[in-house]
Amino acid sequence: MIRYSLICSNAHEFEGWFRSSEDFDVQSSAGLCACPECGSTSVSKALMRPNVATSESKAVVPMPQQDKQLVAVPPEAREFLEKLKEIKAALLDGSENVGKRFAEEARRIHFGEAPIRAVHGEATAEDARALVEEGIEILPLPVLPGERN
């Protein structure tokens, strides 16, 4: 996971967590990154200061799908990660997993061709961008530490 310092067109600063630099670029260009203060989707990376952890403040957690890379998680980030896990669980609770049919099923629901219900699944960056352009509200869910083997 990469943490970026972000800034919106109204100069509000905030942070965002992304799986990769490419994920930020895709989500930002699709209008999926929004300022929590004003809702602006005109968001860019701000200058970041390096985060240097001392030996007392770091815990080692394996990176998703990578056995040899590790990341130091400072104690103040643990509470944030736990809250993210709770939010993600609440979003998925009662939601139907439609797998790789996500884009198709989201369109069917949006256009009244399928019953309205909560669904989740997988979509390519191109499919996600197309859904947003069609006015279909979607939310990318982060892959959090400990969720992948």
Side-chain angles (χ1 to χ4, degrees):
M1 296 291 284
I2 300 172
R3 181 185 73 193
Y4 285 123
S5 290
L6 304 173
I7 189 165
C8 76
S9 57
N10 295 315
H12 299 126
E13 295 184 19
F14 57 101
E15 294 180 349
W17 291 73
F18 302 88
R19 192 176 333 176
S20 66
S21 178
E22 181 182 273
D23 277 359
F24 168 78
D25 295 336
V26 168
Q27 291 180 32
S28 179
S29 65
L32 298 175
C33 296
C35 174
E37 190 168 334
C38 68
S40 170
T41 56
S42 179
V43 174
S44 61
K45 295 177 196 170
L47 287 176
M48 293 180 57
R49 62 178 170 82
N51 185 13
V52 179
T54 63
S55 60
E56 298 91 37
S57 69
K58 60 182 165 182
V60 178
V61 177
M63 292 292 286
Q65 292 187 329
Q66 297 179 7
D67 293 334
K68 296 180 183 168
Q69 280 192 319
L70 302 173
V71 62
V73 179
E76 59 273 10
R78 289 187 198 133
E79 183 178 336
F80 176 74
L81 287 172
E82 287 305 313
K83 292 212 182 295
L84 280 177
K85 287 179 183 180
E86 290 173 19
I87 292 168
K88 185 174 179 180
L91 287 170
L92 294 175
D93 186 39
S95 176
E96 178 186 344
N97 185 351
V98 295
K100 295 187 183 291
R101 297 182 304 108
F102 177 78
E104 172 191 342
E105 199 62 24
R107 281 188 183 93
R108 290 183 64 226
I109 293 168
H110 181 75
F111 293 112
E113 299 167 2
I116 295 175
R117 66 197 189 284
V119 297
H120 66 276
E122 301 172 33
T124 65
E126 294 80 24
D127 284 340
R129 190 174 298 115
L131 289 169
V132 170
E133 288 171 359
E134 293 172 36
I136 301 171
E137 292 186 22
I138 60 171
L139 176 68
L141 295 176
V143 176
L144 301 171
E147 290 185 335
R148 289 193 178 175
N149 295 337

